[in-house]
Amino acid sequence: MGINDRDYHRSDRREGGGFFSRLTPVVKWLLILNLGIYFLDVIMKGEMDEHGPIRHFGIFAIQSAVFEGRIWEFITFQFLHASVAHVMFNCLGIFFFGPWMERWWGSMKFLIFYLLCGVAGAVFFTLLAMLGVVPDGYVVGASAGLYGILIGVAIIAPELRLMLLFPPIELSMRQLAIALMSISVGMILLGYAGVSLYGLISNEGGQAGHLGGAILGYILMRHPQLLGRKPGLKVFRPKVKKVPQPPAPKLRPRSALQKDQDSAVDVILDKISREGVQSLTQEERDFLQKAAHSKQSSK
């Protein structure tokens, strides 16, 4: 089924309502929830508290989620963020790339895809932390789901061209995905080797989450039947309305009389070009007028 078959991408959709009205349904609610929860938590946070009450309830930590049975943390951490820059970066990524995936999967399957990629990020972080590759701690943010989305778009539209704001370079979607994955792997390996990053925040745990989301995103895109979608990649394009063309004029066969008349007209016109209109006889003038009237009547 193509994008034109989906209700939210038909050309007769309602206009107006701002840019939110032009987003796909699940993407719109993901943005509202991520931004709303972050700022609500900031408002509710006390002056002496490290985290707001919502973050305290929902952050993912291995001890609480795995060993104390707080399994909801595998989901709730995906809607919590550490800073304004953190939530804005993730929301921008979802805003630009999420609609591609929602149109490809359909709304319900896209939501499952996104949340599962987030869960995979927490699972991969847990695995690497238990192996001692990354330090134990807690994880928050929509980045794992976002990286699953980025990998998905890189698969269905690898040659899509993007202009980055910083650094200001143009990349294909495939190149962007490879670059992001390389950065995550590199930061994890450097952190594991104890290499100093000269004051940069390495966040190996977050990078592990990115990789986990990307890995599951790749698996689900290559095997969409795991989520009940028929395999086979399709790049959907908006339906282009054909502008109705006026019917071509019908060509009627010319009679022998018409051909003779046209020949006579040509002779008179040649005479005008050689000798001027004043050289015409009254009979020739009358013939031209009659021929012109006949042409107008036949149209």
Side-chain angles (χ1 to χ4, degrees):
M1 180 167 64
I3 192 171
N4 303 320
D5 300 320
R6 304 189 188 281
D7 292 338
Y8 51 78
H9 206 279
R10 289 179 181 164
S11 58
D12 59 350
R13 65 175 182 264
R14 292 184 299 174
E15 296 295 331
F19 72 89
F20 263 123
S21 67
R22 292 172 174 80
L23 291 173
T24 47
V26 173
V27 167
K28 177 173 68 176
W29 279 106
L30 289 176
L31 296 177
I32 292 172
L33 288 173
N34 280 318
L35 291 169
I37 289 173
Y38 174 77
F39 287 109
L40 179 62
D41 195 44
V42 170
I43 293 171
M44 297 172 65
K45 178 181 175 182
E47 292 184 3
M48 303 300 294
D49 297 331
E50 181 183 359
H51 307 304
I54 301 177
R55 281 184 65 191
H56 181 75
F57 172 79
I59 60 176
F60 178 85
I62 297 174
Q63 178 62 34
S64 58
V66 178
F67 298 109
E68 297 176 10
R70 291 166 57 94
I71 58 173
W72 62 82
E73 293 179 5
F74 282 93
I75 299 294
T76 54
F77 87 94
Q78 301 179 45
F79 299 93
L80 305 173
H81 293 84
S83 66
V84 173
H86 189 201
V87 69
M88 292 306 296
F89 175 82
N90 285 335
C91 284
L92 281 174
I94 294 171
F95 174 83
F96 284 114
F97 300 106
W100 285 74
M101 283 290 90
E102 186 168 350
R103 291 178 184 126
W104 195 82
W105 284 104
S107 292
M108 183 55 68
K109 288 185 176 65
F110 166 69
L111 179 59
I112 296 171
F113 170 85
Y114 173 83
L115 293 176
L116 285 180
C117 287
V119 171
V123 170
F124 197 65
F125 162 70
T126 300
L127 176 63
L128 294 188
M130 288 183 170
L131 293 175
V133 177
V134 299
D136 195 358
Y138 66 87
V139 178
V140 292
S143 301
L146 172 58
Y147 271 59
I149 289 173
L150 293 174
I151 292 298
V153 177
I155 289 175
I156 66 172
E159 300 306 320
L160 175 68
R161 306 300 297 179
L162 306 168
M163 176 60 73
L164 303 183
L165 294 177
F166 183 79
I169 57 175
E170 184 176 331
L171 296 172
S172 69
M173 197 65 214
R174 180 192 286 118
Q175 291 170 333
L176 177 63
I178 292 173
L180 291 175
M181 295 303 99
S182 300
I183 290 171
S184 292
V185 171
M187 292 184 74
I188 290 173
L189 294 178
L190 288 174
Y192 180 67
V195 176
S196 172
L197 296 177
Y198 302 100
L200 295 176
I201 300 175
S202 57
N203 188 24
E204 295 96 329
Q207 301 300 334
H210 298 170
L211 286 178
I215 291 169
L216 185 63
Y218 179 85
I219 293 172
L220 292 177
M221 290 300 297
R222 289 302 184 189
H223 303 282
Q225 64 272 19
L226 294 174
L227 292 184
R229 189 188 189 283
K230 292 182 180 180
L233 298 179
K234 297 177 183 177
V235 178
F236 301 123
R237 296 178 176 85
K239 187 176 181 179
V240 178
K241 274 191 174 182
K242 291 185 178 179
V243 179
Q245 299 293 331
K250 294 181 179 179
L251 298 177
R252 290 176 290 184
R254 297 169 65 196
S255 65
L257 182 60
Q258 286 175 319
K259 292 179 181 178
D260 291 342
Q261 186 185 60
D262 290 345
S263 298
V265 169
D266 290 339
V267 171
I268 296 173
L269 293 177
D270 288 340
K271 182 179 180 180
I272 292 173
S273 64
R274 289 193 316 268
E275 304 174 24
V277 71
Q278 71 277 2
S279 64
L280 297 182
T281 65
Q282 188 59 45
E283 184 181 359
E284 289 170 333
R285 292 173 190 270
D286 293 341
F287 183 80
L288 275 181
Q289 285 183 347
K290 227 182 256 189
H293 181 72
S294 174
K295 289 284 186 185
Q296 289 177 352
S297 300
S298 64
K299 287 182 180 180

